[in-house]
Amino acid sequence: MTSEQTHSVGGVVASAMCFTAIIAAGYYALDGRRVDMAVLLLAGLGQVIAFLWFRTQYARAVCSLIMLTAAMSAAEQLYSRIWWWDILIHFVTLYALVWMAWNRVLTHHPRVRGRVRDRPAMRFTWCAVAGFVIAVVWEVMELLGFLFATPDIHIPPLDTLGDIVMGVLGAACVGFHREPR
């Protein structure tokens, strides 16, 4: 295979990965697992956003894999089986979500990109604040899921605080990106 063919095959695979959570949601729907289906559809939304907002196959594939892993981990109860898995997933998922938003800002607002290129404090602060907002929304959704969907969702206060802290740390790491992908 030539490098052009490899790039093309990689692009097709990375793009196809952006729809895997939607396919998995169909499986869980057929199995009657509506909560898991909803979680996978939400991850599918994140994958579609990665497909639309990233130009590179690498970024699309990484974010899609993270979204799928987070949702499948919930569906298959990995959070309750592996004590540190929840911490890791909050870190990498908030990284991916904020990376998508940050990439969108850098791509569509060249003036912002010019201003933050040489100002790491601004980049890291923006990403951490965006991560905090997304992490709080995530935790509110977990609470609503616990109250209205299933009592199986684990929401003790220290876990919630740890999830938010790890999410903000993951999101802040996006500040290392100075150029869009």
Side-chain angles (χ1 to χ4, degrees), residues 5 9 55 58 80 84-85 105 114 142 151:
Q5 288 171 323
V9 169
R55 297 174 300 192
Y58 170 78
S80 59
W84 49 268
W85 194 250
V105 168
E142 282 186 0

Side-chain angles (χ1 to χ4, degrees), residues 88-104:
L88 175 66
I89 293 297
H90 276 273
F91 183 89
V92 296
T93 304
L94 265 290
Y95 173 87
L97 291 169
V98 173
W99 187 18
M100 287 186 269
W102 184 237
N103 194 70
R104 180 77 174 179

